[in-house]
Amino acid sequence: MYLPHAFEVNDVAWIDAFIREQAAADLVTIDDQGQPVSTLMPCSWYRRDDSHGTLVMHMARGNQQWKSIAEGARGLAIIHGPQAYVTPSWYESKVEHGKVVPTWNYTAVHLSGSVAVSHDQDHLRSIVSDLTDLHEAGRSTPWAVADAPEEYLAGQLKAIVAVTLHVDRI
């Protein structure tokens, strides 16, 4: 990502809050044919002390991307925030000298690290429970994973895989 120094953010608390607020990331990996592959997934962000953190996601078992992730493969998670076109008409300098151009204003965080895939059902249950609790928290009567019939939930968990990005670069 092109990042002019003037727009760089190094405030760890702000970055953590941004990732948690967006709660979704495009995970980019390289498949076994050398082609980039990307999937948008809900995510949970965990960081302890001075670590770079861990981004935990899940994807459909039918998605071919997870099958091409070799052990220890590198991945890039892109967390997008608000974005918008900026017209030159808003600049005072348009009237003064006319030397203006349009631009695009955006907020994004890129996380890089090694990717791990897991089929562990307890881990998957934890992932979907955490994500559900996060997104249901503001509702007057929040739904919980435990509200679903156990046999139904077990079937749904078999249809997904856990994907974890062990972040070493932000």
Side-chain angles (χ1 to χ4, degrees):
M1 173 170 67
Y2 171 62
L3 184 59
H5 184 69
F7 300 115
E8 187 175 317
V9 174
N10 293 307
D11 181 336
V12 174
W14 185 91
I15 292 169
D16 286 349
F18 177 80
I19 296 169
R20 286 186 179 101
E21 180 180 323
Q22 300 311 312
D26 289 305
L27 178 67
V28 182
T29 57
I30 305 298
D31 72 12
D32 51 6
Q33 303 298 309
Q35 295 298 311
V37 184
S38 178
T39 300
L40 175 65
M41 292 178 278
C43 62
S44 294
W45 174 239
Y46 302 96
R47 186 203 304 252
R48 283 173 287 171
D49 304 325
D50 61 348
S51 74
H52 281 97
T54 304
L55 195 67
V56 180
M57 303 157 277
H58 68 282
M59 72 172 59
R61 190 171 292 278
N63 184 327
Q64 296 298 307
Q65 183 178 4
W66 73 266
K67 295 176 184 176
S68 68
I69 299 173
E71 187 173 334
R74 301 284 298 167
L76 168 68
I78 304 169
I79 296 92
H80 298 276
Q83 54 179 307
Y85 172 79
V86 178
T87 177
S89 299
W90 293 340
Y91 304 142
E92 289 180 21
S93 53
K94 177 184 179 278
V95 175
E96 294 171 14
H97 51 69
K99 296 178 183 176
V100 295
V101 295
T103 189
W104 196 261
N105 197 0
Y106 62 93
T107 306
V109 170
H110 286 195
L111 306 172
S112 299
S114 61
V115 184
V117 175
S118 170
H119 306 276
D120 181 86
Q121 296 297 294
D122 290 334
H123 183 51
L124 285 162
R125 184 181 299 265
S126 175
I127 290 171
V128 297
S129 294
D130 288 352
L131 282 168
T132 300
D133 292 349
L134 171 73
H135 293 290
E136 291 283 332
R139 300 181 54 79
S140 59
T141 51
W143 184 84
V145 170
D147 293 343
E150 183 54 40
E151 58 281 350
Y152 173 77
L153 182 58
Q156 294 297 302
L157 291 174
K158 288 179 184 173
I160 61 175
V161 297
V163 181
T164 302
L165 181 68
H166 301 282
V167 177
D168 57 30
R169 183 169 181 242
I170 299 174

